[in-house]
Amino acid sequence: MAQLTFYTNPMSRGQIARWMLEEVGEPYEQVLLDYGTTMKAPEYLAVNPMGKVPAIKHGDTVVTEAAAICAYLADAFPGAGLAPDAAARGDYYRWMFFAAGPVETAVTARALGLEAPADKAMMAGYGSYDATIDALERAVAGKRFVAGDRFSAADVYVGSQIDWGLMFKSIPTRPAFEDYIAPIRERAAYKRAKEIDAALMPKQD
């Protein structure tokens, strides 16, 4: 079986990819990188020219971007059951990449004070922060899973966005978000991934 190598930093979106790797359950080699040093070194830039994490290598295949890593691993390891049936593929791709595009952009723009003015909102791919959050709420309201009738890689990615957003208050607390994320936080792979990254965090003096 091809070697899986995972490039990460515990204080990064690598937490999303680690959770996905733990859900997959295949062995992987971990490579920890530091911002500004090893993450920008020629050896890693040959893997990801952006000099950012996460990234994975699976044999000769390189995948970057957390949502792409989730989708790739679900397909590469079908035995884990993390890619949905054909009937649920529309919602699977729709909401995973909605979270990777509009949600990520809208949340970041608001945090940086760079939201588009109302008369130019149509120029932004996400439109407005409020519209994006309302659409995200509709995606999970009353659902246990975001796509189909079982947990999938889309729940790893969408769940990560909601989990972080609620934790750091970049996404408003709403019953639909809390009801969706509560059982996800109880998953064994989620807990394992959090414990691993917590142990790797820089120690406070």
Side-chain angles (χ1 to χ4, degrees):
M1 183 176 292
Q3 170 71 39
L4 259 175
T5 304
F6 172 43
Y7 301 88
T8 190
N9 179 290
M11 299 176 68
S12 76
R13 290 170 180 82
Q15 289 189 26
I16 302 172
R18 187 186 297 283
W19 176 15
M20 184 64 188
L21 285 162
E22 292 298 319
E23 291 282 356
V24 166
E26 295 291 333
Y28 59 90
E29 177 189 4
Q30 170 182 272
V31 179
L32 293 176
L33 300 170
D34 293 320
Y35 290 100
T37 57
T38 51
M39 212 177 287
K40 303 300 183 183
E43 294 79 9
Y44 184 62
L45 292 176
V47 175
N48 184 359
M50 290 288 289
K52 297 173 66 176
V53 291
I56 62 167
K57 281 185 73 175
H58 182 211
D60 294 328
T61 300
V62 174
V63 188
T64 65
E65 311 311 317
I69 290 170
C70 290
Y72 175 85
L73 289 172
D75 287 339
F77 300 98
L82 295 166
D85 298 331
R89 283 279 173 153
D91 280 345
Y92 174 75
Y93 289 124
R94 177 187 183 185
W95 297 118
M96 185 185 299
F97 294 107
F98 176 77
V103 173
E104 170 95 9
T105 306
V107 167
T108 301
R110 169 158 286 199
L112 297 174
L114 297 174
E115 291 181 85
D119 62 337
K120 293 183 171 57
M122 62 184 298
M123 298 173 64
Y126 62 90
S128 72
Y129 173 87
D130 289 337
T132 301
I133 297 302
D134 288 347
L136 181 63
E137 179 180 19
R138 288 194 294 273
V140 300
K143 295 181 184 177
R144 185 176 177 190
F145 309 113
V146 76
D149 59 2
R150 60 187 172 89
F151 184 87
S152 73
D155 292 296
V156 173
Y157 193 81
V158 175
S160 291
Q161 293 286 355
I162 292 173
D163 187 34
W164 286 9
L166 294 177
M167 189 181 310
F168 293 106
K169 303 190 184 307
S170 58
I171 287 177
T173 300
R174 295 181 182 178
F177 295 146
E178 293 182 309
D179 291 346
Y180 169 73
I181 201 64
I184 286 178
R185 286 172 172 163
E186 295 303 313
R187 292 185 65 83
Y190 171 94
K191 291 181 175 181
R192 279 197 309 273
K194 291 296 184 184
E195 288 172 1
I196 293 168
D197 279 318
L200 293 170
M201 291 289 183
K203 300 296 186 289
Q204 299 293 326
D205 293 332

